Amino acid sequence: MAEHRSMQRAALLDAARSLLSEGGTEALTFPALAERTGLARSSVYEYFRSRAAVVEELCEVDFPVWAADVAAAMERASSAEGKVEAYVRQQLALVGDRRHRAVVAISASELDAGAREKIRAAHGELVAMVVEALGEMGHGQPRLAAMLLQGVVDAAVRRIELGAAEDPAAITDAAVAMALRGVKG
């Protein structure tokens, strides 16, 4: 029975990911979740008390996976510059991924304080991964530089998501160049 419940919970989270990546947070409704999973709407409420609860759980499940991908890419780099480049490239490589699209949609939405705090903490962990590399590159304020660098990454993510005129690879290269030249400045 517990295994069945965890499968249904996983199916609900997967449906939530799809809805978020297709239509943003407005698309994430309990009727839509019920329809996607074939569950009764009342059953959806047995798993989650609110949309915010769905979002919170998605953050708890997906953000660590995403952060681990970025961390692994950084670990493969041999220099501090290589780590910064990997930090930018790996986040932008994940843009098409449904998990990432869901996280982006979530970040853009109006959430309750608990969910927002979880996102902030997860983002903080992501930014913390690059602080050390920036310090190694001799940056005087590596924490500030890391926050600004994440702003560049977030802007590039939005540009790719919008299907901007530039090719995603060109956006990625521009973000990397800005990161590497900008942090040296």
Side-chain angles (χ1 to χ4, degrees):
M1 185 69 192
E3 190 177 320
H4 178 69
R5 278 191 69 80
S6 84
M7 278 173 62
Q8 286 196 325
R9 191 173 204 95
L12 282 164
L13 287 175
D14 203 50
R17 262 181 218 112
S18 294
L19 289 164
L20 283 165
S21 76
E22 289 160 21
T25 43
E26 301 76 52
L28 180 60
T29 64
F30 279 27
L33 281 172
E35 193 182 316
R36 287 280 167 111
T37 54
L39 292 169
R41 199 184 309 185
S42 57
S43 298
V44 178
Y45 284 98
E46 287 173 32
Y47 291 93
F48 299 104
R49 64 187 187 287
S50 65
R51 282 184 352 152
V54 177
V55 162
E56 256 181 81
E57 188 151 330
L58 266 182
C59 288
E60 279 173 34
V61 172
D62 288 355
F63 219 105
V65 173
W66 184 30
D69 282 350
V70 176
M74 289 176 74
E75 278 164 29
R76 289 191 293 271
S78 52
S79 67
E81 278 91 350
K83 287 183 191 318
V84 171
E85 177 165 352
Y87 177 83
V88 175
R89 282 194 186 281
Q90 189 60 32
Q91 285 190 67
L92 297 179
L94 292 168
V95 170
D97 185 281
R98 268 184 333 139
R99 280 176 198 267
H100 178 275
R101 286 245 279 289
V103 170
V104 169
I106 289 164
S107 305
S109 67
E110 325 72 60
L111 296 172
D112 67 25
R116 266 203 312 274
E117 194 39 56
K118 283 208 170 73
I119 291 169
R120 244 197 310 280
H123 253 286
E125 286 167 36
L126 199 58
V127 170
M129 296 192 311
V130 81
V131 171
E132 190 182 335
L134 292 169
E136 281 175 40
M137 287 172 70
H139 204 284
Q141 292 179 286
R143 179 106 190 110
L144 173 61
M147 299 299 285
L148 296 174
L149 173 59
Q150 187 58 42
V152 168
V153 172
D154 293 343
V157 164
R158 281 192 300 276
R159 192 110 188 116
I160 293 170
E161 287 273 336
L162 285 170
E166 308 88 0
D167 181 58
I171 295 170
T172 300
D173 289 344
V176 167
M178 184 172 269
L180 293 177
R181 285 203 295 270
V183 295
K184 281 182 183 150

